[in-house]
Amino acid sequence: MLSKKEIIEILKSNNDDVLKQADAIRKEYVGDEVHLRGLIEFSNICKRECKYCGLQCSNKTLERYRMEKNEILLYAKRAVDMGYKTIVLQSGEDEHYKTDYMCEIISEIKKLDVALTLSIGEKSFEEFKAFKDAGADRYLIRIETTDKELYKKMHPHANFENRKKCLEDLKTLGYEVGTGCLVGLPGQTTESLANDILFFKDIDADMVGIGPFISHPQTPLKDAQNGSFELALKVMALTRILLKNINIPATTAMETLNPNGRIIALQSGANVVMPNVTASEYRKKYELYPNKICIHENGDKCRHCIENKIKSIGRTISTEQGFRKK
Ligand code: 5AD
Ligand code: FES
């Protein structure tokens, strides 16, 4: 166990031994297998106004889309045919998908014999329960930052305590719970990043996704500096060192800032990749930040590309659903 002071020192130092240590712990606790999760970004419509995010409702230049049930199921089936053992459904906070409708989609996907992860924002305990009863296995809600002042600045009309409560509710309901943070938000301190890491440990997160902040031209943070790839990598490595057996994705944002970002992440503590399985027309519209990778590719292309990259570093693709190793 590292103290907060030690974590801060590591984050501030130029020494990156921590990446190698995280790689060793990853190997010891979760092995050489990489879990691939097939990501379906099914709606880019969002009622929220997160300052950093290109999907925020005040971005009027973005062309919006929403897939209905049949189209989501089509992509889910294709993903299963490509060999994915987990489907991740992600969207903006789009109120079009009422609880019953979402439950129908969930139970149809579960008939395909895959693990299902939801990443659709803050919901009530009852909604989370309905999704769980319909078959959802996992849920992702990044806390984004545990610095309450910064959280407030970044998320107008949102509430930090409610977000935390969502994570608690999900745990209570028996989900595998994923969270994570942005690295390099304007005004974010090293101490607050250390607090983020300790928060992941404190809530015993099953999955943690970490990515650098990337400035989006159609947001209020258009003039802010991008986060640092190296710092995001270190936050991720420290998370592996502290939480040991959890699942950690090599994030798309990391590869956006470094052309080999996901492979470097897989060699610094990560053991999961989440390739997109939808068509190119949708990918370019799911613009959380600019220069997102793979927006001109299709599902098959990404599957093969990432498989080859993973094999080239001596790792293997898991054929299991990839729950947290206990
Ligand atoms: N840069 C990096 N990551 C971002 N996200 C949203 N906007 C940005 C951005 N500008 C991340 C958030 C969210 C996830 C889906 O995408 O952390 O939880
Ligand atoms: Fe999409 Fe490499 S993962 S092209």
Side-chain angles (χ1 to χ4, degrees):
M1 187 67 194
L2 292 165
S3 70
K4 182 156 138 187
K5 192 161 157 263
E6 288 167 320
I7 294 174
I8 294 172
E9 268 166 28
I10 293 169
L11 290 175
K12 282 190 170 159
S13 80
N14 289 322
N15 185 328
D16 62 6
D17 288 351
V18 79
L19 306 181
K20 282 204 192 78
Q21 290 162 14
D23 193 44
I25 291 190
R26 183 272 308 155
K27 194 175 170 73
E28 182 184 345
Y29 284 84
V30 297
D32 280 336
E33 291 199 328
V34 175
H35 301 287
L36 297 182
R37 322 292 200 194
L39 175 64
I40 304 175
E41 296 161 336
F42 66 92
S43 164
N44 69 353
I45 297 174
C46 192
K47 65 176 183 191
R48 297 217 181 243
E49 226 180 330
C50 309
K51 295 279 182 212
Y52 44 80
C53 183
L55 304 193
Q56 61 178 281
C57 58
S58 39
N59 180 3
K60 304 295 180 205
T61 62
L62 182 68
E63 216 183 293
R64 304 283 171 167
Y65 72 88
R66 150 188 300 151
M67 294 181 199
E68 296 300 344
K69 181 171 93 177
N70 286 343
E71 192 171 8
I72 298 173
L73 293 178
L74 182 95
Y75 282 116
K77 286 193 189 111
R78 276 194 205 160
V80 172
D81 289 343
M82 277 185 256
Y84 288 101
K85 307 291 177 198
T86 293
I87 303 292
V88 181
L89 291 184
Q90 188 177 87
S91 68
E93 289 203 16
D94 182 350
E95 289 181 346
H96 171 72
Y97 302 89
K98 304 268 183 270
T99 312
D100 289 348
Y101 188 37
M102 207 59 224
C103 287
E104 276 174 43
I105 297 169
I106 293 167
S107 52
E108 287 294 326
I109 292 181
K110 284 302 288 182
K111 287 183 191 157
L112 304 173
D113 192 27
V114 279
L116 177 60
T117 306
L118 300 178
S119 177
I120 59 178
E122 294 177 32
K123 307 282 172 187
S124 68
F125 184 89
E126 288 69 32
E127 284 171 289
F128 287 147
K129 180 166 190 314
F131 300 157
K132 188 81 184 44
D133 292 344
D137 302 285
R138 311 182 184 131
Y139 207 106
L140 308 175
I141 295 193
R142 286 188 180 175
I143 195 74
E144 313 294 2
T145 174
T146 57
D147 178 332
K148 287 187 191 172
E149 281 310 305
L150 182 60
Y151 189 91
K152 225 178 184 168
K153 282 188 198 142
M154 292 294 128
H155 307 99
H157 333 296
N159 179 311
F160 179 79
E161 293 305 324
N162 191 61
R163 206 160 179 87
K164 234 170 75 176
K165 179 177 179 289
C166 286
L167 291 167
E168 288 159 13
D169 287 349
L170 291 164
K171 271 270 171 189
T172 305
L173 287 164
Y175 281 92
E176 280 207 337
V177 177
T179 189
C181 65
L182 286 163
V183 176
L185 288 169
Q188 191 177 35
T189 63
T190 315
E191 182 180 3
S192 101
L193 289 170
N195 286 332
D196 294 350
I197 298 168
L198 293 169
F199 172 81
F200 307 149
K201 177 83 186 168
D202 190 44
I203 67 163
D204 191 30
D206 302 299
M207 313 174 277
V208 176
I210 287 154
F213 156 70
I214 301 169
S215 169
H216 190 299
Q218 309 296 342
T219 67
L221 299 183
K222 60 180 190 302
D223 297 321
Q225 251 192 17
N226 283 346
S228 136
F229 169 74
E230 288 76 17
L231 187 58
L233 202 61
K234 266 192 183 177
V235 172
M236 187 199 77
L238 285 162
T239 302
R240 169 64 71 199
I241 292 170
L242 264 81
L243 283 96
K244 310 230 185 306
N245 63 358
I246 65 166
N247 285 319
I248 298 184
T251 57
T252 304
M254 286 193 178
E255 187 124 333
T256 301
L257 292 191
N258 181 311
N260 203 25
R262 288 176 303 175
I263 289 301
I264 297 171
L266 286 172
Q267 295 176 310
S268 311
N271 70 320
V272 170
V273 184
M274 297 166 64
N276 197 313
V277 298
T278 62
S280 164
E281 50 169 315
Y282 293 125
R283 296 180 182 212
K284 54 177 180 278
K285 295 179 189 161
Y286 206 85
E287 197 187 42
L288 303 163
Y289 46 79
N291 306 316
K292 229 177 126 195
I293 57 162
C294 302
I295 58 169
H296 302 298
E297 337 297 327
N298 61 26
D300 279 323
K301 174 91 191 286
C302 286
R303 174 80 200 198
H304 291 127
C305 163
I306 200 67
E307 266 199 51
N308 289 337
K309 286 187 184 183
I310 290 166
K311 287 177 182 159
S312 78
I313 56 166
R315 303 273 281 276
T316 52
I317 310 286
S318 169
T319 55
E320 282 159 25
Q321 295 189 346
F323 284 85
R324 181 181 186 178
K325 282 222 166 82
K326 291 282 180 188

